[in-house]
Amino acid sequence: MPRGYKKTGLFGGALECELPDNFADVSTIRQVPDNQEVYIDKDGFTSIIFDITQRVDAPGEGLERDGRALTIHLEDLVGEDADTVKVWNTTETQFTHLDDDTPAYTLIATQTPHSPSNPDEPGRASAPDFTALILTLLRFEKEKADILITINVPHIKGEYDEEEVDLALGMQGELIGDAVEYAARIWSTFKVRNWRLFDEV
């Protein structure tokens, strides 16, 4: 059955893109920081986060500088658990409705939690085997802003087919495959409706 998408206004309608129609706005349930929009799969564990941040001023030029900025954002995202993250690939990304010279990059990474010292510890049963991250960095130089679009895909034992996932062999499995599709839909439908949004960053 083809997946449905719905046009979704972000940050009061200043940004817009299409998201899967089974994703819900988390801010209707709990408080979300002003610089974030968070959507979660009502039928699963995947979440999509839009995060507007001040532009990271990394050294170097062009691709080198932006690659460093992407690494800095990833390290900020995972915090002290950087040693649990493996980046599988990074690609330049084209947003259909933005100027061709707007820098954008996407990486696919996995974060594997440290082995628990006590596997019987409460809450361990539902801890993911690993979480896949599809992280897109969109850079607005004039506005001095970066937008991070993060799709978090927890893989919880029993909720996915382990034999279908081996990123070293290019096997993404269903959950990551779906998330890549969500990301591609965002790249092709993302629009800036009100540039004044970035005055507040």
Side-chain angles (χ1 to χ4, degrees), residues 154-175:
H155 283 63
I156 295 169
K157 198 170 285 299
E159 299 289 336
Y160 73 103
D161 187 338
E162 294 179 42
E163 291 180 1
E164 288 185 359
V165 183
D166 189 334
L167 290 173
L169 297 176
M171 295 163 58
Q172 294 181 332
E174 185 181 354
L175 296 176

Side-chain angles (χ1 to χ4, degrees), residues 49-183:
I49 301 170
F50 298 84
D51 198 352
I52 301 177
T53 71
Q54 282 192 313
R55 181 181 167 84
V56 167
D57 199 13
E61 289 182 19
L63 201 57
E64 180 191 18
R65 177 192 60 205
D66 293 337
R68 284 184 175 149
L70 186 57
T71 300
I72 290 166
H73 279 302
L74 179 63
E75 288 171 352
D76 279 351
L77 201 63
V78 299
E80 295 172 1
D81 294 326
D83 62 329
T84 66
V85 173
K86 179 170 176 57
V87 177
W88 295 93
N89 62 39
T90 306
T91 53
E92 289 191 67
T93 304
Q94 186 65 55
F95 278 71
T96 305
H97 299 286
L98 295 175
D99 291 342
D100 290 346
D101 60 356
T102 305
Y105 307 87
T106 299
L107 64 76
I108 295 180
T110 48
Q111 183 173 14
T112 306
H114 293 291
S115 298
S117 50
N118 176 9
D120 299 322
E121 194 181 317
R124 280 291 172 199
S126 61
D129 293 343
F130 70 94
T131 298
L133 300 168
I134 299 176
L135 175 64
T136 298
L137 169 62
L138 184 55
R139 315 210 75 197
F140 291 121
E141 194 164 358
K142 202 170 69 178
E143 286 71 31
K144 297 186 173 59
D146 286 339
I147 294 183
L148 287 175
I149 304 166
T150 311
I151 306 179
N152 294 294
V153 192
H155 283 63
I156 295 169
K157 198 170 285 299
E159 299 289 336
Y160 73 103
D161 187 338
E162 294 179 42
E163 291 180 1
E164 288 185 359
V165 183
D166 189 334
L167 290 173
L169 297 176
M171 295 163 58
Q172 294 181 332
E174 185 181 354
L175 296 176
I176 299 175
D178 286 349
V180 169
E181 186 187 306
Y182 304 156

